[in-house]
Amino acid sequence: SDATIGNIITLTYNVENGSEAAGPLVLAAPSIQVSDLRTEIVASAANVYAASGENPLGGFLNFQPGANPNFKGTLFGYPVIQCVNAATANGGADRTGALFRVGRALKIAWKWAPKLERRREPRYIGDLFVVHACYNVSEIVDGAGSSLITDA
């Protein structure tokens, strides 16, 4: 099914109910979910009320991209970030987005920090500089985020 405003309200409830910490929320969503949400708003009567950026939906419909093309505006007061490399679920049939608390849900975990190495490269009659690192993203606090899985 498509992403809906009802999904976002449910995600907000899940995060607010399940998180022990207060703080700003952010919605990270793949392109198709951003499109689904905009389509639902325009197809409903909500667009009548969304003419200005001073309401829960106007900042999302009327936003013009600036320096960060992945920032798509605000929805219910929190930023919407479009993730073009969003994970797939269910064998690629679905896309995964998430609503989470900034600084509470995820963190980069380093196995080893980046190391710069200078390597002699005879083919280029010079040196190459190579950076090696090993890291992953890990969950910090259960309940600080909630996933949204919809059709791809």
Side-chain angles (χ1 to χ4, degrees):
S1 64
D2 293 342
T4 66
I5 295 299
N7 294 142
I8 303 307
I9 292 169
T10 300
L11 290 178
T12 303
Y13 169 78
N14 291 345
V15 173
E16 289 174 345
N17 188 49
S19 180
E20 84 296 341
L25 295 170
V26 65
L27 175 65
S31 308
I32 189 66
Q33 289 179 354
V34 170
S35 177
D36 290 345
L37 292 169
R38 286 183 174 151
T39 300
E40 183 190 12
I41 293 168
V42 171
S44 71
N47 62 348
V48 174
Y49 304 104
S52 75
E54 298 175 3
N55 61 63
L57 305 175
F60 186 58
L61 279 183
N62 301 326
F63 183 75
Q64 296 298 316
N68 182 353
N70 291 323
F71 176 66
K72 298 301 178 185
T74 60
L75 187 61
F76 299 112
Y78 43 81
V80 177
I81 306 297
Q82 178 176 285
C83 303
V84 294
N85 293 323
T88 59
N90 302 322
D94 297 329
R95 287 283 179 199
T96 304
L99 178 72
F100 55 90
R101 294 240 183 246
V102 176
R104 295 293 298 166
L106 305 172
K107 192 163 194 90
I108 292 179
W110 294 97
K111 183 170 183 181
W112 67 76
K115 294 185 292 186
L116 182 64
E117 176 184 308
R118 183 176 172 184
R119 185 180 298 165
R120 186 85 179 135
E121 186 56 64
R123 290 180 295 174
Y124 302 116
I125 310 172
D127 294 338
L128 293 178
F129 291 94
V130 181
V131 176
H132 301 277
C134 184
Y135 62 92
N136 200 348
V137 176
S138 62
E139 181 182 44
I140 300 172
V141 178
D142 278 343
S146 188
S147 66
L148 174 61
I149 299 174
T150 61
D151 295 341

